[in-house]
mmCIF file of all heavy atoms in Angstrom:
data_model
loop_
_atom_site.group_PDB
_atom_site.id
_atom_site.type_symbol
_atom_site.label_atom_id
_atom_site.label_comp_id
_atom_site.label_asym_id
_atom_site.label_seq_id
_atom_site.Cartn_x
_atom_site.Cartn_y
_atom_site.Cartn_z
ATOM 1 N N ALA A 907 -14.188 -34.685 -10.776
ATOM 2 C CA ALA A 907 -13.811 -36.092 -10.916
ATOM 3 C C ALA A 907 -14.857 -37.010 -10.276
ATOM 4 O O ALA A 907 -15.195 -38.068 -10.822
ATOM 5 C CB ALA A 907 -12.440 -36.321 -10.282
ATOM 6 N N GLN A 908 -15.385 -36.578 -9.122
ATOM 7 C CA GLN A 908 -16.424 -37.373 -8.466
ATOM 8 C C GLN A 908 -17.706 -37.380 -9.285
ATOM 9 O O GLN A 908 -18.378 -38.425 -9.409
ATOM 10 C CB GLN A 908 -16.691 -36.808 -7.068
ATOM 11 C CG GLN A 908 -17.717 -37.612 -6.272
ATOM 12 C CD GLN A 908 -17.260 -39.044 -6.043
ATOM 13 O OE1 GLN A 908 -16.138 -39.272 -5.581
ATOM 14 N NE2 GLN A 908 -18.116 -40.013 -6.381
ATOM 15 N N ARG A 909 -18.057 -36.238 -9.899
ATOM 16 C CA ARG A 909 -19.248 -36.193 -10.738
ATOM 17 C C ARG A 909 -19.110 -37.137 -11.933
ATOM 18 O O ARG A 909 -20.057 -37.818 -12.322
ATOM 19 C CB ARG A 909 -19.475 -34.759 -11.230
ATOM 20 C CG ARG A 909 -19.774 -33.746 -10.165
ATOM 21 C CD ARG A 909 -21.168 -33.915 -9.574
ATOM 22 N NE ARG A 909 -21.484 -32.809 -8.709
ATOM 23 C CZ ARG A 909 -21.154 -32.723 -7.444
ATOM 24 N NH1 ARG A 909 -20.471 -33.706 -6.873
ATOM 25 N NH2 ARG A 909 -21.492 -31.686 -6.708
ATOM 26 N N ARG A 910 -17.932 -37.161 -12.515
ATOM 27 C CA ARG A 910 -17.723 -38.056 -13.668
ATOM 28 C C ARG A 910 -17.803 -39.529 -13.247
ATOM 29 O O ARG A 910 -18.319 -40.367 -13.986
ATOM 30 C CB ARG A 910 -16.371 -37.758 -14.316
ATOM 31 C CG ARG A 910 -16.368 -36.446 -15.107
ATOM 32 C CD ARG A 910 -14.976 -36.072 -15.587
ATOM 33 N NE ARG A 910 -15.033 -34.919 -16.477
ATOM 34 C CZ ARG A 910 -13.960 -34.224 -16.882
ATOM 35 N NH1 ARG A 910 -12.753 -34.595 -16.439
ATOM 36 N NH2 ARG A 910 -14.097 -33.214 -17.695
ATOM 37 N N GLU A 911 -17.284 -39.812 -12.061
ATOM 38 C CA GLU A 911 -17.388 -41.188 -11.565
ATOM 39 C C GLU A 911 -18.863 -41.534 -11.296
ATOM 40 O O GLU A 911 -19.303 -42.653 -11.605
ATOM 41 C CB GLU A 911 -16.567 -41.326 -10.296
ATOM 42 C CG GLU A 911 -16.637 -42.701 -9.640
ATOM 43 C CD GLU A 911 -16.109 -43.815 -10.508
ATOM 44 O OE1 GLU A 911 -15.377 -43.534 -11.483
ATOM 45 O OE2 GLU A 911 -16.416 -44.991 -10.230
ATOM 46 N N ASP A 912 -19.601 -40.597 -10.728
ATOM 47 C CA ASP A 912 -21.031 -40.846 -10.512
ATOM 48 C C ASP A 912 -21.763 -41.066 -11.828
ATOM 49 O O ASP A 912 -22.665 -41.913 -11.928
ATOM 50 C CB ASP A 912 -21.656 -39.664 -9.766
ATOM 51 C CG ASP A 912 -21.151 -39.552 -8.332
ATOM 52 O OD1 ASP A 912 -20.617 -40.547 -7.808
ATOM 53 O OD2 ASP A 912 -21.273 -38.454 -7.746
ATOM 54 N N LEU A 913 -21.379 -40.281 -12.841
ATOM 55 C CA LEU A 913 -21.989 -40.464 -14.167
ATOM 56 C C LEU A 913 -21.678 -41.844 -14.714
ATOM 57 O O LEU A 913 -22.551 -42.503 -15.305
ATOM 58 C CB LEU A 913 -21.498 -39.376 -15.114
ATOM 59 C CG LEU A 913 -21.962 -39.505 -16.578
ATOM 60 C CD1 LEU A 913 -23.473 -39.466 -16.679
ATOM 61 C CD2 LEU A 913 -21.335 -38.387 -17.431
ATOM 62 N N ARG A 914 -20.438 -42.282 -14.541
ATOM 63 C CA ARG A 914 -20.068 -43.610 -15.049
ATOM 64 C C ARG A 914 -20.898 -44.705 -14.370
ATOM 65 O O ARG A 914 -21.421 -45.618 -15.038
ATOM 66 C CB ARG A 914 -18.582 -43.857 -14.798
ATOM 67 C CG ARG A 914 -18.061 -45.166 -15.399
ATOM 68 C CD ARG A 914 -16.673 -45.475 -14.895
ATOM 69 N NE ARG A 914 -16.674 -45.753 -13.466
ATOM 70 C CZ ARG A 914 -17.050 -46.942 -12.949
ATOM 71 N NH1 ARG A 914 -17.469 -47.935 -13.732
ATOM 72 N NH2 ARG A 914 -17.026 -47.122 -11.641
ATOM 73 N N ILE A 915 -21.059 -44.598 -13.070
ATOM 74 C CA ILE A 915 -21.841 -45.592 -12.338
ATOM 75 C C ILE A 915 -23.303 -45.537 -12.781
ATOM 76 O O ILE A 915 -23.959 -46.575 -12.958
ATOM 77 C CB ILE A 915 -21.716 -45.335 -10.828
ATOM 78 C CG1 ILE A 915 -20.281 -45.587 -10.373
ATOM 79 C CG2 ILE A 915 -22.684 -46.222 -10.050
ATOM 80 C CD1 ILE A 915 -20.029 -45.209 -8.934
ATOM 81 N N THR A 916 -23.802 -44.304 -12.968
ATOM 82 C CA THR A 916 -25.194 -44.155 -13.392
ATOM 83 C C THR A 916 -25.417 -44.779 -14.769
ATOM 84 O O THR A 916 -26.435 -45.452 -15.015
ATOM 85 C CB THR A 916 -25.580 -42.669 -13.417
ATOM 86 O OG1 THR A 916 -25.385 -42.098 -12.112
ATOM 87 C CG2 THR A 916 -27.027 -42.467 -13.814
ATOM 88 N N GLU A 917 -24.469 -44.565 -15.669
ATOM 89 C CA GLU A 917 -24.605 -45.157 -17.006
ATOM 90 C C GLU A 917 -24.563 -46.685 -16.943
ATOM 91 O O GLU A 917 -25.283 -47.363 -17.684
ATOM 92 C CB GLU A 917 -23.491 -44.619 -17.917
ATOM 93 C CG GLU A 917 -23.680 -43.150 -18.302
ATOM 94 C CD GLU A 917 -22.508 -42.605 -19.094
ATOM 95 O OE1 GLU A 917 -21.411 -43.193 -19.014
ATOM 96 O OE2 GLU A 917 -22.689 -41.591 -19.792
ATOM 97 N N GLU A 918 -23.725 -47.209 -16.068
ATOM 98 C CA GLU A 918 -23.666 -48.664 -15.911
ATOM 99 C C GLU A 918 -25.003 -49.203 -15.377
ATOM 100 O O GLU A 918 -25.510 -50.238 -15.849
ATOM 101 C CB GLU A 918 -22.537 -49.044 -14.956
ATOM 102 C CG GLU A 918 -21.141 -48.854 -15.532
ATOM 103 C CD GLU A 918 -20.861 -49.813 -16.677
ATOM 104 O OE1 GLU A 918 -21.427 -50.920 -16.678
ATOM 105 O OE2 GLU A 918 -20.079 -49.425 -17.580
ATOM 106 N N LYS A 919 -25.570 -48.536 -14.443
ATOM 107 C CA LYS A 919 -26.854 -48.975 -13.889
ATOM 108 C C LYS A 919 -27.969 -48.843 -14.920
ATOM 109 O O LYS A 919 -28.891 -49.665 -14.961
ATOM 110 C CB LYS A 919 -27.186 -48.160 -12.635
ATOM 111 C CG LYS A 919 -26.194 -48.342 -11.489
ATOM 112 C CD LYS A 919 -26.570 -47.568 -10.265
ATOM 113 C CE LYS A 919 -27.795 -48.150 -9.596
ATOM 114 N NZ LYS A 919 -28.075 -47.504 -8.285
ATOM 115 N N TYR A 920 -27.848 -47.801 -15.764
ATOM 116 C CA TYR A 920 -28.864 -47.650 -16.819
ATOM 117 C C TYR A 920 -28.743 -48.786 -17.834
ATOM 118 O O TYR A 920 -29.763 -49.310 -18.314
ATOM 119 C CB TYR A 920 -28.688 -46.302 -17.516
ATOM 120 C CG TYR A 920 -29.579 -46.125 -18.707
ATOM 121 C CD1 TYR A 920 -30.958 -45.957 -18.568
ATOM 122 C CD2 TYR A 920 -29.029 -46.148 -20.008
ATOM 123 C CE1 TYR A 920 -31.779 -45.797 -19.689
ATOM 124 C CE2 TYR A 920 -29.844 -45.998 -21.114
ATOM 125 C CZ TYR A 920 -31.212 -45.830 -20.947
ATOM 126 O OH TYR A 920 -32.028 -45.698 -22.062
#
Side-chain angles (χ1 to χ4, degrees):
Q908 183 61 51
R909 296 288 189 275
R910 287 172 173 169
E911 178 62 18
D912 292 341
L913 175 60
R914 185 191 66 79
I915 294 173
T916 302
E917 288 175 340
E918 289 293 330
K919 297 182 70 172
Y920 173 71

